Amino acid sequence: MNDQYKSRTEAGATIEAEQTPKRVPVKWIVAAALIFVLIGASVTFGVFFSKSAKDIYLLSEYNAYKQLSTELEKKYGNQMEFQEKTLEKPSSTDMKISGNVDMSMAQGDPNLEMLQRILKETAITIKTEQDPKAKASAGSIMLNAQGTKVGFDMFYSDTQAGVKIPLIYDDYFYLNTKDYGQFMRMFDPYYVGPETLEIDYFEWKDLKLTEAEQKHLKEHYSTFLMEQLKEEYFTKEKGIAYKHEGEEMKLTKVTLAMSPEETKQILTNLVSHMSEDEKLIDILTKRAVSMAKASSVNTQAQIEKDYTNPKVAQKEIEKGLKEMKQDVEKAKYPKGFTSTLLVTKDNVVVDRTLQLAVQPKDRIESKEVVEFAVKTKNVPIDDNKTDKLFKFEVGSKGQSDSFLSFESTNTMTEQKENRIEKRKLNLLLEEKGQTPTNIGLTVDSTFKNSGEVEREFSLQADEDIPSMSGTLTQKQDIDLEKERADHVFDVELNVEDGFESATLFLNIDSKTELKEKVTIPSMNANSAINVLEMTEEDVYAVQEHAAYRIQSLMQELSNKYY
């Protein structure tokens, strides 16, 4: 039983009491439900009239959620708004990718020197047009090596799909989507599967909760959680001395502590409540169907449950919730659950610690416990500087079969013309009997008011991973009124393994523009080749033509670079 729970009653005198699997793993969908529920319910915790430990805890967590939302809006607001526009209106994008590589080992090696020359004189251009409402798109990818061009064009609409590879043939090859089943049986007479070719695109907006869904989660779960989280689970202690970088502040410590039995009961009640919520199941079903449809092209018979079918998806989600309830009931929580906040007088979370230990039903005999720990910090140093920390651990270091730790620290300094961020990331993975994996990444960033971002980064890893460092400069010009967005990325990456070194230079220049309409090709037998109507002689003729074209290309490149 955890110490916070055991001391709850003792603290009364000093502490105030308060092959085409269209499959989305069910347990991941159900786990996502917990996130939907908790986010949806949290928006009601914004107003409290008393100052009990429970009220302070919930209000502080609500304030932390609002602060994170504000930071994300400030950082990525224009990008996210423009991205949403591209999901509603037709758009076109022109992108150019170029680069070079400087290798120490290339000196004196004619082959490597030639490779460097080829890369320096080569560029890739990508052009796309899309209409999200019509679910149609067209595009081209072209590699240009000193005037020699190799690439392809392609398009897709609800009636046709086609591709043109000039290197092989000058005309488009296309297929009417309704003829897909017939086309597949040309290669497999026993084919059983979709008769129509369908390509669905998953968009992040498909995950976004509607206002009606948010309202439901707010109303259905806020009262439930408020009732489940009893006043006696919470304690508070004022005047806690908190030191950071030589500075000291007085904070209020608020703790939510539940015994093993209480932890099991509230989790069981929550999952049971969710399993009886038809609206929540409908919310999850819609997302599961969207993800399943976009997971791949319908090209083979279903060999697993068809999550593109709403009835199947709903049934599996209901089954998953039932299984989760059974897992929760049969698991043990030997240390209960503890979440401790250190907050300011304005109920701003400065320090957070969360701990939970779970013993799944299949590990009770072995007594193996999976421990989860989360640590966060959001420490204001002065009016312009903040230190942040996020640390997540799974397992018991040195004790369990596996241990995972991820830690991120970030010092943010606001200046008149820019914002400076110094971030450090570290990933540690330990497996019993295996050499630990330890990777560290340092990133120093300058966010200028002009929209330009300059980053310097360095990767530190184990001996078998080369050391890497470099710079990344990002320039962006997003005009929401003119409905256009320009992005330029310049990357310099230095790689060294102790024996050899190389520097990679990469430039990406992208321009996106929203339009009233875009042009998607439409084919017929007079302007292109219907692959369904091709005879063996036609296929042979195309192969011969392609072989000749490829041979000519190789000769052309040989004349240029040898």
Side-chain angles (χ1 to χ4, degrees):
M1 190 173 297
N2 70 57
D3 295 336
Q4 288 288 350
Y5 170 70
K6 288 193 293 184
S7 64
R8 195 161 62 205
T9 56
E10 300 170 359
T14 57
I15 300 176
E16 182 180 349
E18 315 246 281
Q19 163 288 307
T20 309
K22 297 294 183 188
R23 196 167 187 273
V24 183
V26 173
K27 289 192 176 181
W28 285 108
I29 297 171
V30 173
L34 290 169
I35 298 175
F36 278 133
V37 165
L38 295 175
I39 291 177
S42 68
V43 299
T44 65
F45 299 144
V47 179
F48 293 96
F49 298 99
S50 66
K51 288 296 182 180
S52 68
K54 177 178 178 179
D55 293 342
I56 294 174
Y57 181 94
L58 296 175
L59 180 56
S60 298
E61 286 289 20
Y62 171 73
N63 288 339
Y65 166 74
K66 286 201 305 181
Q67 182 182 11
L68 177 60
S69 299
T70 300
E71 290 178 359
L72 291 175
E73 175 64 28
K74 182 179 179 180
K75 223 175 194 181
Y76 306 110
N78 284 350
Q79 296 179 27
M80 295 170 67
E81 186 172 345
F82 185 82
Q83 184 62 27
E84 286 189 4
K85 286 178 176 287
T86 64
L87 301 177
E88 299 294 333
K89 295 185 63 175
S91 65
S92 64
T93 298
D94 290 345
M95 181 184 296
K96 182 179 179 180
I97 303 173
S98 58
N100 191 18
V101 63
D102 182 7
M103 296 179 287
S104 61
M105 67 185 80
Q107 296 180 2
D109 188 323
N111 292 324
L112 291 178
E113 289 179 348
M114 184 192 68
L115 176 60
Q116 289 185 143
R117 179 187 166 197
I118 292 175
L119 291 174
K120 185 177 181 180
E121 297 173 349
T122 298
I124 299 174
T125 57
I126 302 173
K127 298 179 180 292
T128 60
E129 289 192 322
Q130 62 176 4
D131 185 341
K133 296 291 187 182
K135 292 187 177 181
S137 63
S140 66
I141 299 178
M142 189 65 64
L143 185 148
N144 189 335
Q146 208 181 47
T148 300
K149 297 182 179 181
V150 180
F152 65 90
D153 303 322
M154 60 178 295
F155 75 93
Y156 174 79
S157 69
D158 58 348
T159 57
Q160 291 183 328
V163 61
K164 179 172 71 172
I165 308 176
L167 173 64
I168 295 177
Y169 214 76
D170 293 328
D171 295 331
Y172 260 102
F173 294 89
Y174 77 97
L175 176 70
N176 295 320
T177 54
K178 64 181 179 60
D179 296 332
Y180 178 73
Q182 188 177 351
F183 172 72
M184 288 299 294
R185 277 184 281 275
M186 291 175 59
F187 305 94
D188 180 8
Y190 302 101
Y191 168 79
V192 177
E195 294 297 316
T196 301
L197 177 64
E198 295 179 0
I199 299 179
D200 289 278
Y201 300 94
F202 176 73
E203 301 170 352
W204 286 112
K205 70 173 185 177
D206 294 335
L207 283 180
K208 189 175 181 180
L209 295 171
T210 65
E211 290 186 7
E213 291 171 340
Q214 292 180 38
K215 182 180 179 181
H216 169 79
L217 295 178
K218 170 183 173 181
E219 295 176 349
H220 203 67
Y221 290 93
S222 58
T223 302
F224 173 79
L225 289 176
M226 290 288 283
E227 292 174 350
Q228 293 291 312
L229 295 173
K230 300 176 182 179
E231 292 284 351
E232 56 264 32
Y233 294 168
F234 298 85
T235 57
K236 73 177 180 181
E237 184 177 0
K238 296 181 178 180
I240 300 296
Y242 186 82
K243 294 181 179 180
H244 182 81
E245 288 196 350
E247 300 293 329
E248 181 177 307
M249 60 184 79
K250 295 294 184 179
L251 302 175
T252 297
K253 179 180 178 181
V254 193
T255 302
L256 163 60
M258 294 184 290
S259 70
E261 295 75 21
E262 292 164 345
T263 302
K264 173 180 285 192
Q265 189 61 58
I266 195 171
L267 288 174
T268 301
N269 292 347
L270 177 58
V271 177
S272 178
H273 196 63
M274 291 165 56
S275 64
E276 297 170 0
D277 183 357
E278 294 181 358
K279 181 61 178 177
L280 174 65
I281 293 172
D282 180 64
I283 291 172
L284 295 173
T285 298
K286 289 177 179 177
R287 274 72 184 174
V289 170
S290 295
M291 295 174 67
K293 285 184 175 180
S295 62
S296 61
V297 182
N298 292 332
T299 56
Q300 297 180 14
Q302 300 298 325
I303 58 175
E304 296 186 24
K305 289 184 172 62
D306 181 9
Y307 279 70
T308 63
N309 184 328
K311 290 184 179 180
V312 173
Q314 178 179 329
K315 183 178 179 181
E316 290 301 306
I317 288 171
E318 290 172 345
K319 178 182 176 183
L321 285 167
K322 183 178 180 180
E323 291 176 350
M324 176 174 279
K325 181 182 177 181
Q326 294 173 347
D327 291 342
V328 168
E329 289 175 335
K330 293 180 180 180
K332 290 186 177 181
Y333 308 89
K335 297 183 181 181
F337 173 83
T338 304
S339 175
T340 301
L341 306 182
L342 292 173
V343 305
T344 67
K345 62 181 180 180
D346 297 320
N347 299 313
V348 175
V349 178
V350 173
D351 191 290
R352 176 192 290 105
T353 302
L354 185 152
Q355 294 176 315
L356 173 68
V358 181
Q359 193 172 18
K361 61 180 181 180
D362 57 348
R363 300 184 184 182
I364 290 178
E365 290 186 6
S366 65
K367 297 184 179 181
E368 182 178 350
V369 177
V370 181
E371 296 194 23
F372 298 87
V374 176
K375 178 76 172 178
T376 71
K377 290 184 179 181
N378 180 39
V379 187
I381 307 302
D382 51 42
D383 292 340
N384 301 318
K385 186 177 179 182
T386 304
D387 277 356
K388 290 180 176 289
L389 163 75
F390 174 81
K391 187 174 184 179
F392 174 71
E393 294 182 347
V394 181
S396 300
K397 186 173 175 60
Q399 299 180 22
S400 54
D401 289 341
S402 62
F403 174 76
L404 171 67
S405 173
F406 173 78
E407 181 174 349
S408 169
T409 62
N410 190 16
T411 299
M412 303 169 58
T413 305
E414 294 284 350
Q415 299 178 348
K416 185 176 181 180
E417 299 295 331
N418 51 47
R419 183 180 76 257
I420 307 297
E421 293 191 9
K422 294 183 177 295
R423 185 184 297 274
K424 292 183 179 179
L425 306 172
N426 190 82
L427 176 66
L428 173 64
L429 176 61
E430 295 181 349
E431 295 279 353
K432 184 172 290 186
Q434 302 292 326
T435 302
T437 299
N438 196 351
I439 301 175
L441 177 65
T442 301
V443 183
D444 294 342
S445 306
T446 300
F447 295 82
K448 300 182 179 181
N449 292 342
S450 61
E452 181 176 345
V453 183
E454 296 178 350
R455 293 185 173 91
E456 294 184 5
F457 58 89
S458 175
L459 179 71
Q460 305 85 34
D462 299 322
E463 293 182 358
D464 55 342
I465 300 178
S467 64
M468 287 180 274
S469 63
T471 61
L472 168 62
T473 301
Q474 174 186 348
K475 298 178 182 179
Q476 66 176 29
D477 181 11
I478 300 175
D479 193 322
L480 296 175
E481 290 188 3
K482 294 183 179 180
E483 298 187 321
R484 64 171 180 79
D486 300 339
H487 292 87
V488 178
F489 297 89
D490 282 303
V491 181
E492 179 181 325
L493 176 62
N494 305 302
V495 183
E496 187 173 355
D497 65 359
F499 301 97
E500 304 290 350
S501 63
T503 301
L504 172 68
F505 303 91
L506 184 66
N507 173 267
I508 303 174
D509 191 337
S510 171
K511 302 180 185 299
T512 301
E513 179 184 1
L514 302 183
K515 297 182 173 182
E516 292 301 319
K517 64 177 182 178
V518 294
T519 302
I520 306 297
S522 179
M523 302 293 161
N524 58 56
N526 295 324
S527 61
I529 299 174
N530 187 331
V531 294
L532 192 63
E533 299 174 355
M534 292 181 67
T535 64
E536 291 186 8
E537 289 77 11
D538 293 332
V539 173
Y540 180 74
V542 169
Q543 291 174 340
E544 275 200 328
H545 191 74
Y548 172 75
R549 288 279 185 92
I550 293 173
Q551 184 178 6
S552 299
L553 173 66
M554 299 305 294
Q555 184 63 48
E556 182 180 348
L557 293 175
S558 177
N559 293 337
K560 285 183 178 180
Y561 295 107
Y562 285 92

